Amino acid sequence: LSVPDNYAIVFVQGGASLQFAMVPMYFKQEGKVFSYIHTGEWSTKAIKEGKLLGEVKILASSEDHNFNYIPDLKNIKIPENSAYFHITSNETISGIQYQTFPDSGNVPMISDMSSDFMSRPIDVSKFGLIFAGAQKNVGPAGIVPVIIRKDLLDKEKKVPSMMNYAIHVENNSLYNTPNCFGIYMIGLVMKYVKKFGGLKKMEEFNRAKAKLIYDTIDAGSFYKGTAEKNSRSLMNVTFTLPKPDFDKEFNSEAEKLGLIGLKGHRSVGGFRASLYNAQTMENVKKLVEFMKDFETKHK
Amino acid sequence: LSVPDNYAIVFVQGGASLQFAMVPMYFKQEGKVFSYIHTGEWSTKAIKEGKLLGEVKILASSEDHNFNYIPDLKNIKIPENSAYFHITSNETISGIQYQTFPDSGNVPMISDMSSDFMSRPIDVSKFGLIFAGAQKNVGPAGIVPVIIRKDLLDKEKKVPSMMNYAIHVENNSLYNTPNCFGIYMIGLVMKYVKKFGGLKKMEEFNRAKAKLIYDTIDAGSFYKGTAEKNSRSLMNVTFTLPKPDFDKEFNSEAEKLGLIGLKGHRSVGGFRASLYNAQTMENVKKLVEFMKDFETKHK
């Protein structure tokens, strides 16, 4: 729950979508490129905004398999002239998540952690900047916690004041009237996480929830996990049924049990169980029981 | 409560400060300048952001008298090559407000109405774009209602998606996850205003509240209104006492009666009564009684 002394935390209004533009605006430098890893919907959106503001290099992509894996970045070569190196720690639609983070050398690594922020401990010192739309794990939509390494702060950048991280830091998130309600709610959630036992406990909890579903998928050949095993997300478990004909029944039977919002994104199909911090073990157990019953009836 | 058919309403995250940048980014055109009227703190902030993004022309200013009046704009000549013409309908610090709006011809008139939006009826058709930070009259901080004339929408502008009004309009404010709580609260406030009798009734109410205080100021020579009479704001009534020595006592006595937040901004001194829509007549009467008592005791 704490960050190293050489980092600052600020709250910026808006969502991750504004950060997709704020990052390239702030880090833009003559002769430098914006480097990205392309892993799905959210990195696609970030890349789109980068392209509006400068030259983009895509260093690796999993588009060839419908974004069902995180590319192996062990030997990634990040161009020396990168203004930054951008990754998306968790992609909600295909259900993939970085298990470890690459080393970005002298290039600041930026991570959009909107969908797994505060779900597990993170070695902040690997990153130049971390941002997260609040609405998954930490608060209401409309506010973004940003963690930035202090040596990257430069108030003199020729960007609008609200797009200048240094101005937000200097004013302790009070350069303009902040989203008070959002910040207050995040404060309550932080207290809750602390009481819960901190991020290590939260990761154990999230891992236990995800394991129950992944084990159910892996136990037979009825369900099929969408993501490659070594890229599986703890936040979004995606899977398909043996026949798309079953989908409608699966969905309506699940809804009868109060298991809602399980339909997968149209680009992936099938189903997606979202296991953000607030999701209970009880609900996950109910889903797993239902999945087993449904399998028994239909196989 | 309604706008003409050729206007769209959207909700943009952030506050007026983000609009100060979004307007010049969106309207910027080769060879065009940004024209402003300079009337105080809020127009100063808007001008600062304009200067970061292009050439600014200040067409009129009341800085010569510490922003205590709205310049006469009856015969204002707006440069033909203006990308827009920006005014601030109410300045909270000096307590001045446009009583009528100028005619901007072919140049789109932009108004920051953050501090008097929904306090009185407005002829929307005079404006190209109206924006308002919600937190004065319509909702919680962190969300900005924007009214824009549809012919000014151009999705192809080379600006970040979140800074593109056309994208917000096309997606009905749902391009990204919106500030749901803020929008919901604004909905409740709109219902309240409707039930109250609409904007005409709201203006009558606000005018009656302001009149009580201005009449008390004008009744003698003890209190002195800070703003010129024909620029007086219905939202922020600013006044000084005959001796600055009285200030501390006035403030502490007022606080004992539950009349808080009356201290004026340091750049103006004295006192400021804010009469936003939510301010009650009962409170205003209490303030006026207190002012009369204080005057009797000290003159």
Side-chain angles (χ1 to χ4, degrees):
Chain A
L1 289 180
S2 63
V3 301
D5 284 346
N6 58 327
Y7 285 78
I9 305 178
V10 284
F11 294 95
V12 181
Q13 292 183 46
S17 298
L18 187 60
Q19 294 303 307
F20 296 157
M22 195 160 157
V23 164
M25 281 178 84
Y26 181 80
F27 285 97
K28 193 176 169 77
Q29 273 186 61
E30 199 58 39
K32 291 213 171 177
V33 299
F34 306 145
S35 292
Y36 288 85
I37 304 297
H38 190 205
T39 46
E41 164 99 349
W42 298 104
S43 47
T44 301
K45 286 196 169 186
I47 290 165
K48 180 187 163 199
E49 300 304 318
K51 282 182 176 166
L52 284 168
L53 293 157
E55 190 189 339
V56 161
K57 294 274 182 202
I58 294 174
L59 307 189
S61 171
S62 54
E63 197 175 11
D64 55 347
H65 287 93
N66 202 20
F67 303 117
N68 78 343
Y69 68 99
I70 301 290
D72 180 4
L73 302 178
K74 216 177 295 161
N75 301 310
I76 185 86
K77 281 199 174 55
I78 301 167
E80 291 280 334
N81 69 335
S82 299
Y84 58 82
F85 168 66
H86 180 285
I87 62 171
T88 309
S89 58
N90 184 73
E91 290 275 6
T92 55
I93 287 177
S94 56
I96 59 175
Q97 185 177 30
Y98 283 74
Q99 314 296 312
T100 59
F101 293 104
D103 191 335
S104 68
N106 291 323
V107 176
M109 181 156 64
I110 313 286
S111 184
D112 171 7
M113 294 196 180
S114 296
S115 54
D116 65 356
F117 188 60
M118 299 297 290
S119 72
R120 55 178 176 171
I122 288 293
D123 178 2
V124 171
S125 72
K126 295 196 85 158
F127 299 88
L129 187 152
I130 292 167
F131 65 84
Q135 66 265 30
K136 297 294 193 289
N137 280 328
V138 297
I143 181 104
V144 177
V146 172
I147 301 172
I148 185 168
R149 213 173 62 216
K150 287 178 182 167
D151 66 295
L152 298 171
L153 296 173
D154 175 8
K155 203 164 69 147
E156 302 307 322
K157 297 238 183 191
K158 284 254 171 275
V159 296
S161 306
M162 288 295 287
M163 309 297 267
N164 191 331
Y165 295 107
I167 288 179
H168 287 288
V169 170
E170 189 185 58
N171 291 280
N172 197 21
S173 306
L174 291 165
Y175 176 74
N176 71 331
T177 308
N179 180 335
C180 319
F181 175 75
I183 293 173
Y184 175 72
M185 291 294 283
I186 291 174
L188 295 182
V189 173
M190 294 299 112
K191 279 179 191 158
Y192 164 79
V193 173
K194 209 169 169 176
K195 210 174 147 193
F196 190 88
L199 292 181
K200 207 163 162 283
K201 282 278 178 207
M202 192 57 86
E203 179 177 13
E204 284 169 20
F205 175 59
N206 287 327
R207 204 168 280 285
K209 288 185 290 181
K211 188 175 186 299
L212 275 182
I213 308 180
Y214 284 126
D215 282 353
T216 307
I217 291 168
D218 294 341
S221 56
F222 189 81
Y223 297 107
K224 195 173 170 305
T226 309
E228 285 196 3
K229 282 190 179 175
N230 58 7
S231 297
R232 280 174 167 178
S233 168
L234 300 181
M235 295 284 102
N236 314 97
V237 177
T238 51
F239 59 90
T240 54
L241 306 187
K243 295 184 197 166
D245 293 358
F246 292 165
D247 283 8
K248 216 176 148 184
E249 189 190 340
F250 185 91
N251 204 39
S252 64
E253 291 297 317
E255 281 184 357
K256 280 182 200 159
L257 296 169
L259 299 163
I260 60 168
L262 283 170
K263 205 164 178 296
H265 190 272
R266 64 184 181 283
S267 66
V268 176
F271 295 89
R272 171 173 50 161
S274 286
L275 308 179
Y276 300 117
N277 289 358
Q279 187 57 279
T280 64
M281 182 62 86
E282 192 192 345
N283 286 339
V284 171
K285 283 182 177 162
K286 200 199 264 184
L287 171 62
V288 163
E289 260 176 65
F290 166 68
M291 285 172 72
K292 286 177 180 165
D293 283 355
F294 192 89
E295 181 177 350
T296 308
K297 279 185 202 148
H298 292 80
K299 78 176 168 188
Chain B
L1 289 181
S2 64
V3 302
D5 284 346
N6 60 329
Y7 284 79
I9 305 179
V10 284
F11 294 95
V12 181
Q13 293 183 46
S17 298
L18 187 60
Q19 294 302 309
F20 297 157
M22 195 161 156
V23 164
M25 280 178 84
Y26 182 79
F27 285 98
K28 194 176 168 75
Q29 272 185 60
E30 199 58 39
K32 292 214 171 178
V33 300
F34 307 144
S35 293
Y36 288 84
I37 304 297
H38 190 205
T39 46
E41 165 98 350
W42 297 105
S43 46
T44 301
K45 285 196 170 186
I47 289 165
K48 180 188 162 198
E49 301 303 318
K51 282 182 177 167
L52 284 168
L53 293 157
E55 190 188 340
V56 161
K57 295 274 181 204
I58 294 174
L59 307 189
S61 171
S62 54
E63 199 175 10
D64 55 348
H65 286 95
N66 203 19
F67 303 118
N68 78 344
Y69 67 100
I70 301 290
D72 180 4
L73 303 179
K74 217 178 294 162
N75 301 309
I76 184 84
K77 281 200 173 55
I78 300 166
E80 291 280 332
N81 70 334
S82 298
Y84 59 81
F85 168 66
H86 180 285
I87 62 170
T88 309
S89 58
N90 184 73
E91 290 275 5
T92 55
I93 287 178
S94 57
I96 59 175
Q97 186 177 29
Y98 282 75
Q99 314 295 313
T100 60
F101 293 104
D103 191 335
S104 68
N106 291 323
V107 175
M109 181 156 64
I110 313 288
S111 184
D112 171 7
M113 295 196 181
S114 296
S115 53
D116 66 356
F117 188 60
M118 300 295 290
S119 71
R120 54 177 175 172
I122 288 293
D123 178 3
V124 170
S125 72
K126 295 197 84 160
F127 299 88
L129 187 152
I130 292 167
F131 66 84
Q135 67 265 29
K136 296 294 192 289
N137 280 328
V138 297
I143 182 105
V144 177
V146 172
I147 302 172
I148 184 169
R149 212 173 62 216
K150 287 178 182 167
D151 66 296
L152 298 171
L153 295 172
D154 175 9
K155 204 165 70 148
E156 303 306 322
K157 296 237 183 193
K158 283 254 171 276
V159 297
S161 307
M162 288 296 286
M163 310 296 268
N164 191 331
Y165 295 107
I167 288 180
H168 287 290
V169 170
E170 189 185 58
N171 291 279
N172 197 21
S173 306
L174 291 165
Y175 175 74
N176 71 331
T177 309
N179 180 335
C180 320
F181 176 75
I183 294 173
Y184 174 72
M185 292 294 283
I186 291 174
L188 295 182
V189 173
M190 293 300 110
K191 280 180 190 157
Y192 164 78
V193 173
K194 208 167 170 178
K195 210 174 147 192
F196 190 88
L199 292 181
K200 209 162 161 284
K201 281 278 176 208
M202 193 56 84
E203 179 177 15
E204 284 168 20
F205 175 60
N206 287 327
R207 206 168 279 284
K209 288 185 291 180
K211 188 174 186 299
L212 274 183
I213 308 179
Y214 285 125
D215 282 353
T216 306
I217 292 168
D218 294 339
S221 57
F222 189 82
Y223 296 107
K224 195 174 170 304
T226 310
E228 286 195 3
K229 283 190 180 177
N230 59 7
S231 297
R232 281 175 166 177
S233 168
L234 300 181
M235 296 284 102
N236 313 97
V237 178
T238 51
F239 58 91
T240 55
L241 306 188
K243 295 184 196 165
D245 293 358
F246 292 165
D247 283 8
K248 216 177 149 181
E249 190 189 339
F250 184 92
N251 204 39
S252 65
E253 292 296 316
E255 281 183 358
K256 279 181 200 159
L257 296 169
L259 299 163
I260 61 170
L262 282 170
K263 206 167 177 297
H265 191 270
R266 64 184 180 283
S267 66
V268 176
F271 295 90
R272 170 173 51 161
S274 285
L275 308 179
Y276 301 117
N277 289 357
Q279 187 58 278
T280 64
M281 183 61 87
E282 191 192 347
N283 285 338
V284 171
K285 284 182 177 162
K286 200 198 265 184
L287 170 63
V288 163
E289 261 176 63
F290 165 69
M291 286 172 72
K292 287 177 180 166
D293 283 355
F294 192 90
E295 181 177 350
T296 309
K297 280 185 203 150
H298 292 80
K299 77 174 170 188

